[in-house]
Amino acid sequence: MPHTIIDIKPHCNRCSFKELCFPLGLEADEFAKLDAVIRQSRRLKKGEYLFRAGENFTSLYAIRTGFFKTAVNTQDGRDQVTGFFMSGELVGMDGLGNKTYTSDAVALEDSEVCELPYYRLNELIEHFPKLSMHFLSMMSKEIIRDQNVMLLLGNMRAEERLAAFLLNLSERLNMRGFSPYDFVLRMSREEIGSYLGLKLETVSRTLSRFNQEGLIVVDHKHIRILQAKKLETMVTGCNISSE
Amino acid sequence: MPHTIIDIKPHCNRCSFKELCFPLGLEADEFAKLDAVIRQSRRLKKGEYLFRAGENFTSLYAIRTGFFKTAVNTQDGRDQVTGFFMSGELVGMDGLGNKTYTSDAVALEDSEVCELPYYRLNELIEHFPKLSMHFLSMMSKEIIRDQNVMLLLGNMRAEERLAAFLLNLSERLNMRGFSPYDFVLRMSREEIGSYLGLKLETVSRTLSRFNQEGLIVVDHKHIRILQAKKLETMVTGCNISSE
DNA sequence: CGGGAGATTGATTGTGATCAATCTTCGTGG
DNA sequence: CCACGAAGATTGATCACAATCAATCTCCCG
């Protein structure tokens, strides 16, 4: 496993994103137990796969730092980016159902993840049944996120999709204490396009137009949002929210 | 609550779809406990809402008989059908995360559902922690289903979407012991269109073309599939599977 | 410094949306 | 039970948005 280092005991308590991984109020003893289970931290270089579609499901992963995309692929080579994930978000939930991952997860920058091995998850739930409701809740939120992507793909025009995408990123960065109006895109135009059901040229053109219209400033991967309000009115209906 | 009758004790053991609601091997005592919790059966007339977006989350529902659609709606009136559900399938999982349903569920024909009240689900998991893995598994499968819809909406052309849709219905009907090649659509052209990200005219035209080409026979809502193989080659990549 | 991937911009095309008219079916009330 | 009306479906003509094809351009990364 190249570029991979296993650390021992990263401790959730020292992680500034713990409340993002486990947003619901946990009792002290429950949290301590959880912390003990998440004992492995894994580092990935940009471009490395965290898991691949078809592999046996081994773990859920909470992202500690960095940025990931997940994608499903078809037999004929097409693929669809199904999500972008940042600190405090959970990936791998699609693997639980059939004990096999159905998507790829790829690091889009050097990243660090906290691993929740499946067998330990089992033990944990056995001993702390209340915790299982937290996991059900997080999976439910993933379903809600997916519903919103369906809404976007099924109903919205190119500029609405882009606006929704930028605002969603903005909101999630804000929640993590980063600037919501000045950030660097971690993914390529092609990956944005795949996620939004558009071709990369359309993504590029639409961003350029937003730039001309003074809604945003685009400097390659660097984005500054100037008129968030106008972007919001563009996405009238869609209530995309991070998780 | 008009048209609604509450029955007592439907008993999963008498339900021919129990293995669809709970596909994983359950111990006898676990299943008995589950059976005891699902004690309410509710009947709905065609057009009735099982729940609406924004309502407090009260229960998960397993469909006993009938057919449902789920849909999310935007502030500006557009809406997106997010799924069609038949016997043995579970709806309401989007409500668990925020204790509020985020979608509507509407009966597309007279239907009967088994109710799993949230507070009873909690009790159940407390006493039988192993059961929670079954629910996590079912939610994971819902996520996989959603990923496949994203793939369809993001990557496929109109005829591919329709072919995938018909084959998916066919497969699920087959699993329930119904004819996979001769069935009645429960939803309108507009609802199919909303689900597939197409306009109703495109759905109608594409079905007509399949009919002319001898792939299927369309008689309004009655569909006969003549050349499933050809439909399958149309959807090369997409691996849509029911749940 | 050079090469290659990614991004931008332009010209043209094509698929599906839109607008529109007719037809069918089903539900409702007389 | 039949007639009527409304909703749903089909089909046609036209239009628009995003895809495609194509030609630079820029910026990393080696």
Side-chain angles (χ1 to χ4, degrees):
Chain A
M1 216 178 277
H3 305 301
T4 296
I5 298 166
I6 301 293
D7 294 338
I8 308 295
K9 289 274 174 203
H11 281 308
C12 291
N13 281 323
R14 278 193 239 124
C15 177
S16 58
F17 297 117
K18 64 180 177 189
E19 69 283 354
L20 287 165
C21 298
F22 304 103
L24 298 153
L26 288 176
E27 301 298 324
D29 61 335
E30 287 172 335
F31 191 77
K33 193 73 185 172
L34 194 57
D35 193 5
V37 166
I38 304 168
R39 74 184 193 296
Q40 290 189 323
S41 173
R42 186 169 146 197
R43 288 172 205 276
L44 293 97
K45 290 267 180 210
K46 180 175 175 176
E48 261 191 281
Y49 281 74
L50 182 55
F51 53 78
R52 286 170 195 267
E55 285 179 4
N56 282 338
F57 173 70
T58 55
S59 306
L60 292 176
Y61 297 95
I63 299 169
R64 197 174 161 84
T65 59
F67 204 88
F68 285 79
K69 72 167 177 182
T70 56
V72 292
N73 27 43
T74 64
Q75 290 139 0
D76 60 343
R78 289 182 285 188
D79 74 329
Q80 169 75 29
V81 171
T82 50
F84 296 110
F85 297 87
M86 55 178 82
S87 334
E89 295 176 339
L90 222 59
V91 291
M93 290 184 277
D94 57 281
L96 242 165
N98 299 318
K99 300 287 169 288
T100 303
Y101 296 109
T102 57
S103 59
D104 297 333
V106 188
L108 297 184
E109 60 180 350
D110 293 359
S111 301
E112 190 179 355
V113 297
C114 304
E115 188 172 2
L116 241 143
Y118 176 57
Y119 74 98
R120 305 229 58 180
L121 181 65
N122 262 319
E123 290 170 11
L124 190 67
I125 286 175
E126 285 270 348
H127 295 113
F128 291 81
K130 273 185 179 160
L131 266 178
S132 58
M133 201 48 80
H134 294 263
F135 287 98
L136 286 172
S137 179
M138 281 188 285
M139 295 191 78
S140 173
K141 284 175 183 169
E142 174 67 21
I143 291 170
I144 294 170
R145 196 188 67 78
D146 292 347
Q147 284 178 352
N148 282 319
V149 176
M150 285 186 232
L151 181 62
L152 181 144
L153 291 171
N155 269 301
M156 297 169 76
R157 299 152 30 79
E159 62 168 29
E160 296 176 294
R161 295 184 199 193
L162 252 304
F165 170 74
L166 292 174
L167 290 172
N168 174 253
L169 272 186
S170 170
E171 184 190 330
R172 284 154 70 195
L173 288 166
N174 190 42
M175 282 173 60
R176 283 155 186 79
F178 300 113
S179 169
Y181 300 132
D182 191 315
F183 51 86
V184 174
L185 296 175
R186 254 60 231 216
M187 70 296 279
S188 69
R189 301 289 191 265
E190 187 168 15
E191 286 162 334
I192 297 173
S194 172
Y195 181 57
L196 299 178
L198 301 170
K199 292 294 161 186
L200 70 100
E201 293 96 328
T202 305
V203 173
S204 180
R205 264 185 254 275
T206 307
L207 288 177
S208 295
R209 195 151 47 78
F210 285 178
N211 186 59
Q212 279 167 29
E213 292 168 353
L215 300 175
I216 63 176
V217 177
V218 185
D219 177 23
H220 305 102
K221 303 222 158 184
H222 179 207
I223 300 283
R224 271 198 306 138
I225 296 181
L226 300 179
Q227 304 194 50
K229 279 281 179 299
K230 281 202 181 167
L231 290 175
E232 279 162 30
T233 58
M234 237 178 219
V235 231
T236 351
C238 184
N239 41 353
I240 286 269
S241 74
S242 71
E243 34 190 343
Chain B
M1 217 178 277
H3 305 301
T4 297
I5 298 166
I6 302 292
D7 293 338
I8 310 292
K9 291 272 174 203
H11 280 310
C12 293
N13 282 322
R14 279 193 237 124
C15 177
S16 57
F17 297 116
K18 64 179 175 189
E19 69 284 353
L20 287 166
C21 299
F22 304 103
L24 299 153
L26 289 176
E27 301 298 324
D29 61 337
E30 288 173 335
F31 191 77
K33 195 73 187 172
L34 194 58
D35 194 4
V37 165
I38 304 169
R39 73 185 193 295
Q40 290 189 327
S41 172
R42 185 169 146 198
R43 287 172 204 277
L44 293 97
K45 290 269 181 208
K46 181 175 174 175
E48 259 191 282
Y49 281 73
L50 182 55
F51 54 78
R52 287 170 195 267
E55 285 180 3
N56 281 337
F57 173 69
T58 55
S59 307
L60 292 176
Y61 297 95
I63 299 169
R64 198 175 159 83
T65 60
F67 203 88
F68 285 79
K69 72 166 176 182
T70 55
V72 292
N73 27 45
T74 64
Q75 290 140 0
D76 61 340
R78 290 183 283 189
D79 74 329
Q80 170 74 30
V81 171
T82 51
F84 296 110
F85 296 87
M86 54 177 81
S87 334
E89 294 176 339
L90 222 58
V91 291
M93 290 183 277
D94 57 283
L96 243 166
N98 299 319
K99 301 287 170 290
T100 303
Y101 296 108
T102 57
S103 60
D104 298 331
V106 188
L108 296 183
E109 62 180 349
D110 293 359
S111 300
E112 191 178 354
V113 297
C114 304
E115 189 173 2
L116 241 140
Y118 176 56
Y119 74 97
R120 305 228 59 182
L121 181 65
N122 261 318
E123 289 171 11
L124 190 66
I125 287 175
E126 285 270 350
H127 294 114
F128 291 80
K130 274 187 178 158
L131 265 178
S132 58
M133 203 46 81
H134 294 263
F135 287 99
L136 286 172
S137 179
M138 281 189 285
M139 294 190 79
S140 173
K141 285 175 182 170
E142 175 67 22
I143 291 170
I144 295 169
R145 197 188 67 78
D146 293 346
Q147 284 179 351
N148 282 320
V149 176
M150 286 186 233
L151 181 61
L152 180 144
L153 291 171
N155 270 300
M156 297 169 75
R157 299 152 31 79
E159 64 168 30
E160 295 176 294
R161 296 184 198 193
L162 251 304
F165 171 74
L166 292 173
L167 290 172
N168 175 253
L169 273 185
S170 170
E171 184 191 328
R172 284 154 70 196
L173 288 165
N174 190 42
M175 282 173 59
R176 283 154 186 80
F178 300 113
S179 170
Y181 299 132
D182 192 316
F183 51 86
V184 174
L185 296 175
R186 253 62 231 215
M187 70 297 278
S188 69
R189 301 289 191 265
E190 188 168 16
E191 286 162 334
I192 297 172
S194 172
Y195 181 58
L196 299 178
L198 302 169
K199 292 293 160 185
L200 69 100
E201 294 96 326
T202 305
V203 173
S204 181
R205 264 185 255 276
T206 308
L207 288 177
S208 296
R209 193 151 47 80
F210 284 177
N211 186 59
Q212 280 166 28
E213 291 167 353
L215 299 175
I216 63 175
V217 178
V218 185
D219 177 23
H220 306 102
K221 303 224 157 183
H222 180 205
I223 300 284
R224 270 197 307 138
I225 296 180
L226 301 179
Q227 303 194 51
K229 279 280 180 300
K230 283 203 181 168
L231 290 175
E232 278 160 32
T233 57
M234 240 178 218
V235 233
T236 351
C238 183
N239 40 354
I240 286 268
S241 74
S242 72
E243 37 191 341

